[in-house]
Amino acid sequence: MVDRRLTWLAAVVLIWGTAIFLKLISLQVIHHREFLNKAAARQEISIEIPAPRGTLFSRSGRRLAMSVSSDSVYVNPMKLPDIGVASELLALALGMDRGELESRLRDAYNAHRGFLWVKRKISEEEAESLRKLPIDWIFIQHESQRHYPNGSLAAHVLGSVNSEEKGNAGIEMYLDSELRGVPGKERVLTDARRHNISSRISIPPKPGTSLTLTIDEQVQFVAERELAQAVESHNAISGSVVVMDPNTGDILAMASYPSYDPNEPVKAGAFPPERINHAIQLPFEPGSVFKVMNYSAAFDTTKLTPDTPVNCGGGVIRVGGKTIHDSHGGTGVVPAKTAFAKSSNVGAVRVGQTVGEENMYEYVRRFGFGQKTGIPLPAENKGKLRPTSRWSKVSLASISIGQEVSVTTLQLARAVSVIANGGSLVMPRLILKEGDRAVPVSAPVRIIKPETAFTMRAMMENVVLNGTGSRARLDGYTGGGKTGSAQIFDVKAGHYSHTYNGSYVGFAPATNPRIVVAVTVNGTRGEGGFGGVTSAPVFKAVATEALREFDVPKDIPETIPPTLVAKTESADDLAISDLENSSNSILSDDDASDDAAAVAAEAARTPGPKVPNFKGKTMRAVLAEAAAKGLTVLPDGSGIARLQSPPPGAPLRQGERIRVQFAR
Amino acid sequence: MATLPAFFRKNTPAQHAPVTDPMRTARPRAERDPYALRSLPHEDILLFCKKVDNARLVREPDPQARGACWTVIGAASVVLLVVTSASVPYAASTLAGYKLESLRTEERRLLDERRNLDLEEAELLSPARLDQIAREKHLVPPVTGQVVRLDGKDGAVAMAK
């Protein structure tokens, strides 16, 4: 009897154990993955690992744009206990308008939307006050927020981002894919109180690439400041400045006026005019600065030299039924360098005619006009340069003086870099480093002969010393440049108006150029709006700051005796006053004689080496003596040394160059 | 102590009780008051404590049972030790996980804070701000060559001529 009961008991226990075992097999083996996933779904939560957008640095390592995390508030309108109460509570905590918020909430509720951003990018204090509320229908999401700590500095280069941190202008837009990070995913095992126990990264985040720009923030700041001052003081409309390293193509500064603060969000679909980057997006007729290309082509393709006489025809020439004239009078036959320095339109037309249409078009193209420069910024305009097949009889003359073509300020800076670096076209570079990887400099392409570049350099230096660019003259540095004042074509009236694009493009130091600065002020009026008046001072301020910032050694004495400085001529680059007849020449005999006593007195006061007397010597003798004494002489002309600057006996400073004018 | 069987036996009907008690038989049965409340169950049970002295009882020594007891205690201890040993790493891992996650959270917070401080530094070093301060203090920018950088790196140590 007992045995039977035990047998039954054992059987029951065995069946029970077997059932448990089978269930275990089912749970642990057959449905293992299913239950594992269910458990994970209950115990684990998925968290997004933020991948911050890449930081933008200046060339000196200062932050120009960076992202920091911030909080945003959202709700599920369908699960709000009371929309009125919720809107009042949220409006109070977040400093919002209650009525507007309630309206948004009701609209979302009526549309059966389960998600609504209440406010994005809230402050730390606001987030803290919301977290303290014992409410479970307010959700706070971690987000990344873009900041531009320098405000409007380099705004047109940097651009901006929208609320989703997607670039909508500038380099933020052009290189959005590199700057934007890819957020990762993390599975976090939590306890009942949602405290993290352990975590594992399911998708690793990929932070955005940080970029180091070629922009120097100090030069950029000065460029923007001076540009704004120039535009406002001349009642102009807009303007732009490009500072460039002529050897590498590095864009050291790119300013555009008017400007904006990229921290301020822009409304979707809107594109305010201040967001236009005038340096690359708005082409204009360059005017006389384009004569640089004209003369370069002439030196390269014809027998023209700086001393070749050019007939300026009294300031008037008629081409293809159109009269081209210099604005204030004219001059007769003058050396090409004088015609260039005085920015004679007639002289430029004559030179252009010797170049010819095909060569002119070819050289203008070589200088990079009519095509994009390739700078990594969106919406770059390539300007306008029509093929020769569409040229009229006047086109060659017009292009010779910078009309019938449109260019951007960056293209001008790039073209003058060719002169400054010895004849090679460089590609503008805006990115110095991508992450830790240096971006190589593109190989320059030779487009003109080196001797042509050196000749043009001297010609442009002459513009500063004796021509229309006197306001661009630097203290302590030699420099060259070219002014330009192009009348703006009135499309409605069908003719050129009396508003101007005042430009100046120059480089410094003249002996070994380190920077090229192109300045354009658009919409100036009257003679006070010419490039020599509006833009040349901007060049001077910006170039001085850039040369100081980059520790470029001075190549002439900083303080030139007032009597030796050429008196400011008319900055009108269209006005002609013959150099030979000018009483304001830096090397005029009058100046020298008047200042002899002052120089002698200064020489007596200052110890050290003195400037030797070269007067009456041949060029060979002067050069030999200078070489023997380790001096740098800048000869001008031919024959016997007639004039020199600094004058004989003046104190000789280190690195100073002596100009000697020869004549027969 | 009166037990319930004893009690019930005591209150059994009259056929079990001795009939020799003249007082009991002679006494007339009281009339039942129709208005009296019905007695509660066990209303008439009386309970009392009865002291039992079992001090003289002595447990017989049983070495075999004691050994078994110790065996059980030992086995339980071993099992406990094994279970504890097995669970300690898990518990330690869990605790370490808590700490690790806490430290990760702290790390993220510190990284955020560092980025905020970087931003603040950048704002403070803004050229526009420095220019404004310099103007207020009537400072002028140095001329070229006036500042000599001694370390050649970031100009942190500089000398003005």
Side-chain angles (χ1 to χ4, degrees):
Chain A
M1 182 69 181
V2 174
D3 288 346
R4 187 187 295 171
R5 287 181 180 174
L6 281 175
T7 305
W8 276 107
L9 180 64
V12 169
V13 168
L14 186 65
I15 291 169
W16 178 65
T18 306
I20 289 177
F21 183 73
L22 290 176
K23 188 65 179 174
L24 276 174
I25 294 290
S26 169
L27 291 175
Q28 299 285 348
V29 179
I30 299 171
H31 298 105
H32 175 78
R33 187 169 297 277
E34 177 188 345
F35 286 105
L36 200 66
N37 291 338
K38 283 186 177 179
R42 284 180 172 275
Q43 297 164 358
E44 289 186 356
I45 54 173
S46 180
I47 293 178
E48 186 178 279
I49 307 174
R53 192 177 175 84
T55 302
L56 294 176
F57 294 97
S58 71
R59 68 184 297 122
S60 57
R62 296 273 176 82
R63 289 170 178 78
L64 298 175
M66 62 183 299
S67 294
V68 296
S69 63
S70 65
D71 294 320
S72 294
V73 187
Y74 70 93
V75 295
N76 180 353
M78 307 304 293
K79 292 188 176 178
L80 290 179
D82 185 299
I83 288 181
V85 173
S87 55
E88 184 162 1
L89 189 70
L90 289 168
L92 192 67
L94 300 173
M96 301 172 71
D97 181 62
R98 180 189 181 282
E100 185 190 351
L101 179 59
E102 184 173 354
S103 169
R104 283 173 53 206
L105 288 171
R106 288 203 186 282
D107 289 346
Y109 180 82
N110 294 333
H112 301 286
R113 287 173 57 191
F115 181 92
L116 179 74
W117 286 115
V118 176
K119 188 177 181 182
R120 304 185 77 170
K121 326 286 188 191
I122 62 175
S123 67
E124 191 65 31
E125 292 76 24
E126 289 173 333
E128 198 58 35
S129 67
L130 283 180
R131 284 194 187 96
K132 286 179 182 173
L133 294 176
I135 296 172
D136 59 355
W137 43 265
I138 297 177
F139 303 97
I140 297 177
Q141 171 89 23
H142 246 15
E143 283 194 300
S144 183
Q145 186 175 12
R146 198 69 163 166
H147 285 272
Y148 301 88
N150 299 303
S152 62
L153 187 81
H156 295 92
V157 176
L158 303 177
S160 58
V161 296
N162 60 15
S163 58
E164 304 294 334
E165 268 213 338
K166 186 177 181 186
N168 57 15
I171 208 160
E172 296 270 27
M173 180 180 179
Y174 196 88
L175 296 177
D176 185 65
S177 57
E178 291 186 39
L179 287 166
R180 181 190 286 265
V182 180
K185 289 276 184 189
E186 185 179 31
R187 304 287 300 177
V188 180
L189 181 67
T190 61
D191 62 11
R193 294 180 179 177
R194 290 293 180 191
H195 290 158
N196 295 359
I197 299 174
S198 68
S199 60
R200 61 184 168 85
I201 295 174
S202 52
I203 303 171
K206 285 167 63 180
T209 308
S210 291
L211 301 177
T212 302
L213 307 184
T214 55
I215 297 290
D216 183 279
E217 77 275 1
Q218 185 60 29
V219 179
Q220 177 75 29
F221 170 72
V222 172
E224 290 182 6
R225 185 186 66 194
E226 297 299 323
L227 177 65
Q229 198 175 335
V231 172
E232 288 166 5
S233 62
H234 292 97
N235 294 319
I237 298 169
S238 60
S240 56
V241 174
V242 172
V243 185
M244 194 170 172
D245 183 331
N247 300 304
T248 62
D250 284 1
I251 304 297
L252 304 172
M254 181 183 283
S256 179
Y257 184 91
S259 190
Y260 66 98
D261 186 351
N263 290 302
E264 299 293 330
V266 62
K267 288 182 181 175
F271 194 82
E274 63 267 17
R275 289 195 166 237
I276 296 173
N277 186 349
H278 288 258
I280 62 165
Q281 294 176 350
L282 210 64
F284 60 94
E285 280 190 323
S288 295
V289 290
F290 211 71
K291 291 170 186 169
V292 173
M293 274 52 77
N294 180 17
Y295 278 82
S296 297
F299 287 135
D300 234 25
T301 59
T302 69
K303 293 180 179 177
L304 186 77
T305 68
D307 295 316
T308 304
V310 175
N311 182 6
C312 293
V316 180
I317 188 171
R318 192 159 179 82
V319 180
K322 179 185 174 186
T323 303
I324 296 173
H325 53 83
D326 298 340
S327 63
H328 296 293
T331 186
V333 178
V334 294
K337 63 183 179 185
T338 306
F340 184 77
K342 298 301 175 186
S343 198
S344 167
N345 285 341
V346 178
V349 170
R350 296 264 190 215
V351 169
Q353 286 171 339
T354 63
V355 173
E357 287 188 356
E358 293 302 325
N359 279 338
M360 180 66 79
Y361 178 79
E362 169 67 18
Y363 272 80
V364 172
R365 288 285 296 181
R366 281 190 191 184
F367 273 99
F369 295 103
Q371 50 201 312
K372 293 184 177 181
T373 63
I375 191 169
L377 288 174
E380 185 192 2
N381 196 306
K382 64 180 182 181
K384 189 178 76 177
L385 174 65
R386 290 181 300 185
T388 50
S389 58
R390 295 175 57 196
W391 285 15
S392 67
K393 291 179 181 177
V394 195
S395 293
L396 178 61
S398 297
I399 291 173
S400 298
I401 59 172
Q403 293 184 344
E404 283 197 32
V405 288
S406 67
V407 304
T408 62
T409 310
L410 178 61
Q411 285 177 331
L412 279 180
R414 187 191 188 198
V416 171
S417 291
V418 173
I419 307 299
N421 68 23
S424 298
L425 187 71
V426 292
M427 178 173 273
R429 187 171 69 149
L430 193 55
I431 311 297
L432 199 62
K433 285 195 286 185
E434 285 182 354
D436 294 330
R437 186 178 65 87
V439 175
V441 178
S442 300
V445 180
R446 174 160 298 285
I447 61 167
I448 58 172
K449 298 172 187 168
E451 53 267 34
T452 300
F454 295 137
T455 305
M456 281 307 301
R457 227 188 264 176
M459 296 264 287
M460 293 174 76
E461 188 178 8
N462 193 37
V463 171
V464 176
L465 296 174
N466 300 310
T468 55
S470 59
R471 284 183 169 86
R473 189 167 184 171
L474 303 171
D475 294 334
Y477 295 99
T478 55
K482 185 71 191 80
T483 58
S485 307
Q487 287 177 285
I488 297 175
F489 191 79
D490 189 340
V491 179
K492 288 181 182 174
H495 58 76
Y496 282 96
S497 66
H498 288 289
T499 55
Y500 299 90
N501 289 321
S503 309
Y504 184 88
V505 190
F507 51 82
T511 44
N512 181 21
R514 294 285 304 277
I515 55 160
V516 166
V517 182
V519 183
T520 305
V521 179
N522 309 108
T524 60
R525 291 175 186 279
E527 293 186 0
F530 289 160
V533 178
T534 58
S535 302
V538 177
F539 167 87
K540 181 178 180 178
V542 174
T544 301
E545 180 64 22
L547 293 168
R548 185 190 70 77
E549 184 71 13
F550 298 125
D551 278 336
V552 178
K554 293 177 180 173
D555 58 349
I556 54 172
E558 185 170 358
T559 309
I560 300 171
T563 50
L564 293 179
V565 178
K567 295 183 182 72
T568 305
E569 296 187 29
S570 167
D572 176 7
D573 48 348
L574 301 176
I576 297 298
S577 59
D578 196 295
L579 178 64
E580 280 69 24
N581 297 331
S582 172
S583 61
N584 298 327
S585 168
I586 186 174
L587 299 175
S588 70
D589 279 329
D590 290 344
D591 284 342
S593 59
D594 288 347
D595 301 318
V599 170
E602 187 186 354
R605 285 196 305 270
T606 312
K610 303 289 187 297
V611 176
N613 186 1
F614 293 128
K615 284 185 180 176
K617 297 179 181 175
T618 62
M619 184 180 286
R620 183 185 297 272
V622 169
L623 293 176
E625 184 180 347
K629 293 180 177 177
L631 304 175
T632 305
V633 168
L634 296 177
D636 190 12
S638 59
I640 306 298
R642 302 293 184 193
L643 300 169
Q644 71 176 80
S645 174
L652 188 62
R653 295 176 176 83
Q654 189 175 6
E656 188 171 21
R657 299 187 308 167
I658 303 166
R659 296 175 175 281
V660 182
Q661 187 166 17
F662 295 86
R664 297 190 183 280
Chain B
M1 190 179 76
T3 61
L4 283 177
F7 174 78
F8 284 116
R9 272 196 301 273
K10 184 177 154 185
N11 293 286
T12 46
Q15 65 265 23
H16 298 295
V19 293
T20 54
D21 191 351
M23 294 296 289
R24 194 172 178 111
T25 55
R27 194 166 57 189
R29 187 180 181 91
E31 285 291 323
R32 182 177 176 85
D33 183 359
Y35 301 103
L37 291 174
R38 188 163 55 94
S39 60
L40 293 170
H42 310 309
E43 191 180 45
D44 50 351
I45 295 176
L46 298 174
L47 301 174
F48 62 91
C49 294
K50 179 183 177 183
K51 288 190 178 177
V52 177
D53 183 14
N54 57 1
R56 288 175 299 166
L57 289 175
V58 178
R59 189 182 184 93
E60 188 179 353
D62 186 357
Q64 195 176 1
R66 180 175 294 179
C69 178
W70 280 113
T71 303
V72 170
I73 291 172
S77 300
V78 169
V79 170
L80 188 66
L81 193 66
V82 169
V83 170
T84 307
S85 303
S87 60
V88 158
Y90 178 78
S93 162
T94 305
L95 291 175
Y98 276 117
K99 188 164 186 178
L100 193 62
E101 290 304 313
S102 165
L103 289 173
R104 277 187 183 150
T105 307
E106 179 73 2
E107 182 195 18
R108 283 175 193 164
R109 193 189 64 76
L110 289 173
L111 284 174
D112 282 349
E113 192 175 332
R114 193 177 79 175
R115 292 184 76 84
N116 279 309
L117 289 172
D118 285 343
L119 174 64
E120 195 175 336
E121 181 196 25
E123 286 172 344
L124 292 173
L125 291 175
S126 162
R129 180 178 173 276
L130 295 180
D131 185 66
Q132 186 185 355
I133 293 173
R135 285 176 189 276
E136 287 170 1
K137 294 183 179 297
H138 306 293
L139 301 176
V140 293
V143 296
T144 304
Q146 188 178 1
V147 176
V148 180
R149 291 178 179 152
L150 301 178
D151 60 353
K153 288 178 183 174
D154 58 0
V157 181
M159 178 180 70
K161 280 183 183 174

